Each structure stands twice: as C-alpha cells, then as structure tokens.
C-alpha cells in the first residue's frame, strides 16, 4: 500500500516539468488531455481495467493472487517482500514480488500522479512569469540551468504538501484495490471486517490509519520546511 | 445580463470547459427524463428474461445484457438519477453546515468557541475520508440514504476550513468593524457581509467537488454499501460484473465508461467555472 505513494513523487514531477517546458506544444497537450481522463477514473475502476487488460487480454503481468508466485520461499526479515528477497539473495524472487506490486500500486497511484503533475505544471508556469526568472534569463543563463536550479524547487514545494493529503485518498482506495487484487494487506482485512460487521476491527483500522496519516503529514511538513527557506525563517522567529 | 454575457465569453474561451458543460447538461437531462427515453424502461427495476441473458453488445442492446437478461444501457441511464441525487444532496448539506461552522469559528477567532469548533473539524480531517465513510456506512444499514449520510459526515470539514480561512481574514476589515459599531446583529453580519465574499469560493469548490462525490458514491456502491439490487447503481454494476470478466466484459466496461464520462464532465465544468470566476477577481 505504501508503495503506491512512491511513483507519484517521481512521475508527477517529471510529467509536470515536461508539461511546463513544452507549454502549449504537443507534449503538453497530450499530458493535459490524458490527465483529465485519468483523474476522472476512480481507483477501483483502474484496478478492474488492469485486471481485464493485463490479467486476461495480455497476460504479461501477474494480476491475481497475493504478493509472490508459488514456488518462491522468502524468509521474512523486514516484512517487505522485495527487500526480503534481495537480502536473502534471490533476485528472481525479488523481481517476481516487484511484478506483483506493479498493478495494484499503479491502480492506486495513477489519478494522484496526474493531479500532482498538473499542479507542478501550473506552479512552474506561474513562477516562470516572475521577475527573478526574467532577470536571470536576461543575464544569459541557459534555459536548462534556470529550469533545474531556479524554477523547479519553488514549484515543487506546494506539490509536496498536496502529496501528504493525497496519502489519505490512497488509504481509502486501497480498501477496494487490495480486495480486487487479493492483496493480503490491512485494507483487505478491514474490508472483510466491514462486510462481516465486525465493528471493533473496523474501529481499530480507522484509528491506525488516522495515526499513520497524521504521522505522514508531519513528515511532509518537515520536508517542506527543509525545502523552503521562507518557512524556516518564520519558524525561527 | 451584460455580466452574464461577459462571463459566458470568458467561460467559452476554453473549448474544453464547453465540452464539460455539454456532458453535464446531457447527464442532467438523462438523469431527469432518462426513465422515459431508454429503450427498455422496465429493465431498470427487477426484471428477468433468461432467454436474452448475457448477450454481447449489438444494435438491439447497445451495451449488451446482464445475467438476468436486462439491457445494460437502460440500467446505466436509470442509475443516473441516484448518481445526481447523491452529488446534489451531499453538497447541499455539507456546504451550508461547513459554512456555518467555519464562519462562527472564524468570526470568533481566538476565543474558546473557535478552538472547540476547529479542533472538532481537525478530528474529522485527521482520518482519511474514504476510510471514515466506509466505516460509517458499514455500521449503518446499506442503502442510498446512509451512503449519502456517510459521505456528508466527512465532507463538511473542508467547507468549514475554506470559510474559516476567508472569514478570519475578513474579520479585521473595516466594513465588518463598522457594521458591528452601528449595532448590526450577528445573522446580518454573517449573511449580508461575509456570505457574499465567501460565495464564489464555496460555489467553485462545490462544482469541483461534484466529481469527487460521485466517485466516492460509486466506491461505496462498489463495496456493496450503496443502493441495493435490483435497483441499478454504477458501482454495484461494476462489482457484480467483475466475476464474469474476461468472457462478459461488457458487464463492467460500460458502467465504468459512464462513471469516467460523468466525472470528467463535472471536472471540466468546474475548472471552467473556477477559471471564469478567478479571472474576474483579477
């Protein structure tokens, strides 16, 4: 479940920066148009579509059943299947566990990735019109250096704080996605508890997820303070 | 009239928000009059015709038939009314409740009531919304009303936060202070002085939220906590079709496309409206 939080961090920024660099040219149009459709699709619909496409029509990825294929035995050390397999020195098992992760995480992450890509793009464009960018452009600093060193960081900061909030939606959507992919996680456990009206179990999961959510947001706030010198200053006052 | 025309020009500048408006109008039309326009109106309720069960899409059944022999196209259109009802009722309850809470807290900024109200809001915001909605809906009887209730309970804090932010920044404006000085009552200040300033922010958020509420409702209905069979709901149509997936793909694909189109329409419209109101402020 937590793995689903990782792809947005990279791809959202990449796509957002691409969209801003090619503003109003074809890569921007493609990213913007596809993002509208991808955001409009609920996570459980992605899970079902992936199951249909990659599970039945083009069976290239393992889609049904758990975290790893039969036949591999990985001794639990950290509890994370991919890491455990690597620690145990079984690259084939690690790859297999990774393939099992791929579809559920993608189903959970796609919508947020595109949402954050759109945010990054609009912040990039907003900052690109500011005076300090005009000034360094007029000084003859190359375009790539401006994008990398001066434009990216201030545009990423608001996106990072949105990512913390999106973790909440990932938790919620995991309830259905884990059930669809038969993934033995806390959300599938909670889903079974919900359907069985096991209220104590439901309360426990809700409380635990609430705590994890708050801790994640604390972490995000710390990251934002590290990234943003203005926030540091207002702290020290 | 002149203002309306200017707004329309601003709105129709971007072709993509006009597409959103077209999709949403078609959806509204079908939600209201769909029952009289579908090819098989009796298929929307409980109806059994095993001779025509599980047919692939054809010219007679545009989206195929389900395992009871009911026309899926008719059932999708038939479910639109509840989908619309879900969005409208949830937003029409949660927006005013959140507004009142946010305004009272923001107006009494720094006092005890501000702390109490906003900390309650924070408690609701601290739990991931869909998790809370699933938990609430699971405790109650599974039906449409209770799934609306579950979504409303987790939706109002966002409006409380929004109107709290606006109100607490307006609090020190001169016209509010003067209104107090001449002895205006609290309802007058809230509805005549503060509400008009919050209105565009709240309305924009409402149109943008419509798509998310519909997704949330479909998710609850997928989990079996929404409208119960035999009445049609987009989420439960998808979940009942998953079991028969590779063979009878039309059971899941067409309701899924319907959800995507509706949400897309509302998102495009919401973006268009927020652009329109945003540029007007500048």
């Amino acid at each position: 479940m937590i793995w689903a939080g990782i792809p947005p961090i990279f791809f959202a920024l990449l796509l957002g920066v691409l969209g801003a660099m090619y503003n109003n040219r074809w890569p921007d149009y493609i990213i913007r148009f596809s993002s509208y459709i991808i955001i409009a699709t609920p996570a459980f619909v992605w899970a079902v579509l992936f199951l249909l496409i990659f599970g039945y029509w083009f069976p290239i990825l393992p889609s049904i059943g758990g975290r790893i294929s039969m036949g591999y035995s990985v001794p639990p050390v950290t509890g994370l299947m991919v890491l455990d397999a690597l620690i145990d020195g079984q690259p084939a098992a690690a790859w297999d566990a990774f393939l099992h992760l791929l579809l559920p995480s993608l189903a959970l992450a796609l919508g947020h990735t595109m949402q954050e890509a759109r945010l990054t793009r609009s912040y990039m464009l907003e900052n690109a019109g500011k005076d300090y960018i005009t000034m360094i452009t007029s000084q003859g600093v190359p375009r790539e250096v401006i994008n990398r060193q001066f434009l990216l960081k201030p545009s990423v900061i608001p996106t990072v704080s949105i990512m913390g909030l999106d973790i909440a939606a990932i938790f919620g959507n995991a309830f259905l996605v884990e059930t669809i992919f038969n993934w033995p996680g806390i959300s599938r456990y909670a889903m079974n508890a919900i359907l069985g009206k096991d209220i104590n179990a439901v309360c426990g999961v809700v409380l635990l997820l609430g705590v994890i959510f708050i801790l994640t947001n604390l972490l995000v706030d710390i990251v934002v303070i590290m990234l943003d010198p203005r926030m540091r200053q207002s702290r020290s006052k | 009239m002149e203002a309306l025309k200017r707004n329309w020009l601003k709105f129709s500048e971007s072709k993509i928000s006009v597409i959103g408006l077209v999709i949403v109008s078609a959806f509204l039309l079908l939600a209201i009059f769909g029952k009289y326009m579908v090819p098989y109106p009796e298929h929307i309720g409980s109806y059994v015709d095993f001779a025509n069960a599980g047919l692939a899409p054809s010219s007679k059944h545009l989206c195929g038939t389900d395992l009871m022999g009911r026309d899926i196209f008719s059932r999708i259109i038939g479910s639109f009314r509840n989908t619309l009802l879900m969005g409208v009722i949830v937003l029409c309850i949660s927006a005013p409740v959140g507004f009142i809470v946010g305004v009272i807290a923001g107006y009494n900024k720094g006092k005890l009531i501000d702390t109490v109200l906003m900390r309650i809001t924070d408690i609701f915001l601290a739990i991931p919304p869909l998790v809370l909605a699933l938990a609430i809906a699971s405790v109650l009887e599974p039906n449409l009303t209770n799934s609306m209730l579950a979504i409303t309970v987790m939706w109002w804090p966002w409006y409380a936060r929004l109107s709290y932010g606006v109100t607490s920044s307006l609090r020190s404006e001169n016209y509010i202070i003067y209104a107090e000085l001449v002895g205006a009552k609290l309802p007058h200040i809230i509805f005549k002085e503060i509400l008009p300033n919050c209105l565009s922010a709240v309305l924009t958020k409402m149109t943008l939220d419509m798509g998310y509420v519909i997704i949330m409702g479909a998710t609850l209905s997928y989990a079996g906590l929404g409208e119960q069979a035999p009445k049609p709901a987009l989420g439960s149509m998808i979940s009942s079709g998953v079991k028969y997936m590779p063979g009878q793909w039309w059971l899941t694909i067409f309701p899924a496309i319907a959800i995507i189109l509706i949400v897309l329409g509302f998102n495009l419209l919401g973006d268009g409206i927020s652009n329109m109101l945003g540029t007007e402020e500048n």
Side-chain angles (χ1 to χ4, degrees):
Chain A
M1 185 167 76
I2 293 300
W3 294 102
I6 295 170
I9 298 175
F10 300 109
F11 289 108
L13 300 184
L14 188 71
L15 288 175
V17 172
L18 268 180
M21 273 166 65
Y22 294 94
N23 180 27
N24 285 336
R25 279 185 277 162
W26 62 267
D28 184 36
Y29 282 132
I30 292 176
I31 292 172
R32 260 159 74 192
F33 183 73
S34 54
S35 74
Y36 272 120
I37 293 175
I38 289 173
I39 291 169
T41 312
F44 72 92
V45 171
W46 276 123
V48 168
L49 289 181
F50 282 155
L51 213 58
L52 189 62
I53 295 171
F54 295 111
Y56 298 116
W57 289 349
F58 309 102
I60 44 175
L61 286 171
S63 55
I64 308 152
R67 308 173 65 181
I68 199 160
S69 296
M70 302 271 265
Y72 294 109
S73 78
V74 178
V77 184
T78 56
L80 301 171
M81 213 50 123
V82 180
L83 278 185
D84 284 354
L86 283 178
I87 289 170
D88 201 45
Q90 300 182 35
W95 179 244
D96 187 71
F98 175 71
L99 289 183
H100 276 82
L101 270 174
L102 206 57
L103 286 185
S105 338
L106 264 185
L108 277 175
L110 260 178
H112 303 293
T113 311
M114 294 319 268
Q115 186 99 47
E116 284 149 17
R118 271 179 59 186
L119 279 176
T120 314
R121 171 184 174 275
S122 66
Y123 288 125
M124 286 275 281
L125 289 178
E126 194 189 311
N127 283 331
K130 286 192 175 160
D131 288 346
Y132 73 99
I133 296 291
T134 320
M135 198 195 82
I136 31 183
T137 314
S138 69
Q139 287 174 341
V141 179
R143 191 87 225 145
E144 296 89 67
V145 179
I146 295 180
N147 277 339
R148 208 173 44 235
Q149 289 190 355
F150 297 99
L151 205 48
L152 187 58
K153 206 168 128 183
S155 318
V156 160
I157 290 165
T159 317
V160 169
S161 44
I162 296 290
M163 277 178 189
L165 291 177
D166 278 347
I167 298 284
I170 289 181
F171 283 159
N173 285 323
F175 274 61
L176 297 181
V177 173
E178 282 188 6
T179 314
I180 293 169
F181 283 104
N182 202 15
W183 183 269
I186 187 174
S187 310
R188 202 187 58 165
Y189 167 74
M191 202 63 218
N192 288 335
I194 283 175
L195 296 178
K197 295 232 162 206
D198 182 355
I199 292 177
N200 293 339
V202 176
C203 286
V205 172
V206 170
L207 209 60
L208 182 66
L209 289 182
V211 170
I212 298 176
F213 180 47
I214 292 171
L215 289 180
T216 329
N217 271 306
L218 182 67
L219 194 74
V220 167
D221 283 351
I222 294 172
V223 170
V224 168
I225 289 173
M226 274 159 57
L227 281 175
D228 194 342
R230 285 168 301 185
M231 296 286 269
R232 267 198 305 259
Q233 289 226 305
S234 64
R235 269 298 139 101
S236 57
K237 260 175 203 167
Chain B
M1 203 57 219
E2 189 61 31
L4 205 68
K5 204 173 162 190
R6 210 173 48 230
N7 277 338
W8 167 249
L9 280 178
K10 217 169 254 168
F11 179 80
S12 57
E13 239 171 45
S14 115
K15 295 281 164 292
I16 209 155
S17 27
V18 178
I19 297 176
L21 185 67
V22 170
I23 296 177
V24 170
S25 327
F27 169 68
L28 292 181
L29 208 68
L30 285 173
I32 297 166
F33 301 110
K35 271 190 179 156
Y36 315 105
M37 290 156 79
V38 293
Y40 305 94
E42 70 276 12
H43 290 210
I44 293 173
S46 55
Y47 175 85
V48 177
D49 178 11
F50 285 119
N52 288 319
L55 293 181
S58 62
S59 58
K60 214 172 146 216
H61 298 283
L62 272 180
C63 303
T65 61
D66 65 7
L67 299 171
M68 305 279 190
R70 296 175 294 197
D71 182 46
I72 291 182
F73 182 70
S74 306
R75 284 178 69 75
I76 289 177
I77 306 285
S79 71
F80 280 2
R81 181 174 292 190
N82 282 342
T83 311
L84 176 70
L85 219 58
M86 161 75 79
V88 169
I89 290 183
V90 166
L91 290 179
C92 286
I93 296 175
S94 56
V97 170
F99 172 75
I100 298 282
V101 171
V103 165
I104 291 177
Y107 185 73
N108 296 303
K109 194 172 166 61
K111 294 189 191 143
L112 180 69
I113 188 163
D114 166 32
T115 319
V116 172
L117 285 177
M118 288 325 280
R119 288 305 82 76
I120 293 176
T121 312
D122 283 347
I123 292 171
F124 278 93
L125 289 172
I127 298 170
L130 190 52
V131 176
L132 189 62
L134 278 167
I136 294 172
S138 71
V139 176
L140 305 167
E141 276 296 299
N143 58 36
L144 186 68
T145 322
N146 284 340
S147 66
M148 285 181 196
L149 187 75
I151 299 178
T152 312
V153 166
M154 40 141 291
W155 216 272
W156 67 265
W158 297 101
Y159 288 94
R161 271 264 283 263
L162 181 71
S163 39
Y164 177 77
V166 178
T167 312
S168 56
S169 69
L170 289 179
R171 184 70 188 84
S172 49
E173 292 283 327
N174 281 337
Y175 64 90
I176 303 275
I177 296 170
Y178 292 152
E180 279 171 357
L181 275 180
V182 297
K185 297 254 168 23
L186 187 63
H188 174 88
I189 293 176
I190 288 181
F191 291 107
K192 288 272 158 64
E193 312 287 350
I194 297 176
L195 180 64
N197 287 299
C198 287
L199 207 58
S200 80
V202 170
L203 283 182
T204 311
K205 188 165 168 54
M206 279 172 82
T207 41
L208 283 172
D209 274 359
M210 193 71 179
Y212 292 109
V213 172
I214 288 172
I215 286 187
M216 206 65 84
T219 308
L220 284 187
S221 139
Y222 182 94
L225 302 169
E227 185 72 294
Q228 297 296 303
K231 285 185 191 146
L234 293 173
S236 65
M237 282 167 85
I238 296 177
S239 74
S240 62
V242 169
K243 285 170 271 185
Y244 310 98
M245 209 149 55
Q248 283 147 330
W249 50 269
W250 56 90
L251 295 181
T252 45
I253 292 294
F254 289 114
I257 291 175
I259 294 183
I260 296 172
L261 270 182
I262 296 168
V263 177
L264 182 69
F266 277 110
N267 284 355
L268 294 179
L269 181 69
D271 276 359
I273 289 179
S274 75
N275 281 340
M276 181 177 88
L277 294 175
T279 42
E280 198 183 39
E281 275 162 19
N282 299 336

